[in-house]
Amino acid sequence: MDASLARLGYARSRLRRHSAEAGEGAVPPLDAPDAAWVLFAGDRVVLTREPASALLNPDVAARVPALAVPVFLGRLDGGRLDGRPVFAAAIEPAAADDLADGPAHHSLDLRSLAAEGAVAADELGLLATAKSLLAWHARNGFCAHCGTPSLPAAGGFRRDCPACGTHHFPRTDPVVIMLVRRGDTCLLGRAPRFKEGMYSCLAGFLEPGETVEDAVRRETREEAGIRVGAVRYLASQPWPFPASLMLGCVGEALDDAITIDPTELADARWFPRAEVAQMIAGAHPAGLSVPPPMAIAHLLMRAFVDGVA
């Protein structure tokens, strides 16, 4: 379990986070000479080749215009870069292409970056924070109360309305993802968008006024027709596409007759523990597979195989 947690994508960070409570006085100037910068072009991150890192020097950021006011993420915690301020900015894809055209830099999408281990694991959580904040600013330019254009504040951890004074804060969308088990079998499904042969845990967004446990029960019954009794929490994972938090749970099934919702699932089956182990090992005789180790679904399935879940 510990090894699986260590490979979980976006879950480790070296960031001493800034926050709306810290205020503008804690935000260093954008031209701070010791600043580190993270540049996103959509889902692509600009990276240095040597060393492999998403933390760029100020001179690199100065070569490309930001699409909006950059956000101040906080300061690096520990190591030789301890205390260094970190900013994040969104840039045009063409600007990222220009940087990647030279020998010192390249770009990689956020999913591949985590799956391939292209940067240190403790940079991934920092990148999740950056991506989520930048996406929130891009989608929330107007006050939800009165419709007036809002302005970034507190280094980007808040938006303020100049007309009615309403403060707006970044949101995170909670998602339950569950390993539903019955004895020595577990329920796995295939969404229509999955690559052929890949099975994963069921998942769905938490709804207003709903507990995590009830969300697990509702989503499992809606998608697969299975009633769930006891539910327990196992682990969580930030999922910056654009700003979710995956809440990994284990649920005990009360029955085993599957009735899938075809709009959500192409297939769902009960898999015995030994077969899940084959899928994780890439040795399934029919070529069935599971999500990569950086995904919390993999962690949940590994916990089931190891007898932890």
Side-chain angles (χ1 to χ4, degrees), residues 179 181 184-186 273 276 300-307 309:
L179 189 292
R181 53 171 294 172
D184 282 332
T185 64
C186 72
R273 201 184 307 270
V276 179
L300 291 169
M301 284 183 262
R302 172 71 70 180
F304 172 69
V305 167
D306 292 343

Side-chain angles (χ1 to χ4, degrees), residues 187 202 219-226 255-262 265 267-268 270:
L187 178 67
L202 306 190
E219 284 288 344
T220 305
R221 193 158 191 178
E222 286 178 355
E223 294 189 6
I226 299 294
D255 46 38
D256 56 12
I258 298 172
T259 304
I260 66 169
D261 176 355
L265 296 175
D267 186 30
W270 292 104

Side-chain angles (χ1 to χ4, degrees), residues 203 239 254:
W239 194 247
L254 300 178

Side-chain angles (χ1 to χ4, degrees), residues 20-269:
E21 286 73 24
E24 298 291 348
V27 180
L30 290 175
D31 61 355
D34 62 338
W37 283 79
V38 173
L39 300 181
F40 271 92
D43 276 344
R44 284 193 296 142
V45 187
V46 178
L47 306 170
T48 58
R49 294 186 183 275
E50 188 59 44
S53 176
L55 300 174
L56 309 177
N57 290 327
D59 63 305
V60 178
R63 289 161 52 187
V64 293
L67 293 177
V69 176
V71 298
F72 173 55
L73 303 181
R75 295 181 180 273
L76 293 176
D77 190 12
R80 63 183 181 83
L81 302 179
D82 183 58
R84 191 175 177 183
V86 185
F87 292 93
I91 63 174
E92 292 282 5
D97 291 340
D98 287 343
L99 285 174
D101 196 39
H105 300 90
H106 66 117
S107 66
L108 195 63
D109 71 272
L110 197 53
R111 290 177 191 267
S112 299
L113 192 150
E116 297 175 12
V119 298
D122 57 18
E123 284 191 18
L124 292 175
L126 182 153
L127 290 174
T129 300
K131 173 60 178 174
S132 298
L133 279 172
L134 293 173
W136 177 71
H137 281 286
R139 296 180 179 203
N140 292 271
F142 295 87
C143 176
H145 181 68
C146 72
T148 301
S150 59
L151 302 172
F157 274 74
R158 194 177 76 222
R159 293 188 72 91
D160 293 348
C161 178
C164 70
T166 300
H167 295 331
H168 301 279
F169 298 91
R171 61 172 292 170
T172 296
D173 298 318
V175 178
V176 290
I177 180 166
M178 44 278 185
L179 189 292
V180 175
R181 53 171 294 172
R182 187 165 173 80
D184 282 332
T185 64
C186 72
L187 178 67
L188 302 177
R190 273 185 39 74
R193 68 181 184 281
F194 284 4
K195 68 179 183 180
E196 189 63 32
M198 190 178 84
Y199 283 78
S200 186
C201 300
L202 306 190
F205 285 98
L206 199 71
E207 293 188 347
E210 189 174 45
T211 66
V212 170
E213 293 84 355
D214 281 344
V216 167
R217 297 182 183 111
R218 175 185 54 77
E219 284 288 344
T220 305
R221 193 158 191 178
E222 286 178 355
E223 294 189 6
I226 299 294
R227 294 180 304 120
V228 172
V231 174
R232 63 184 176 91
Y233 167 83
L234 193 67
S236 64
Q237 178 185 32
W239 194 247
F241 301 101
S244 295
L245 177 64
M246 309 296 289
L247 302 167
C249 298
V250 177
E252 298 293 333
L254 300 178
D255 46 38
D256 56 12
I258 298 172
T259 304
I260 66 169
D261 176 355
T263 62
E264 296 287 342
L265 296 175
D267 186 30
R269 307 180 196 175

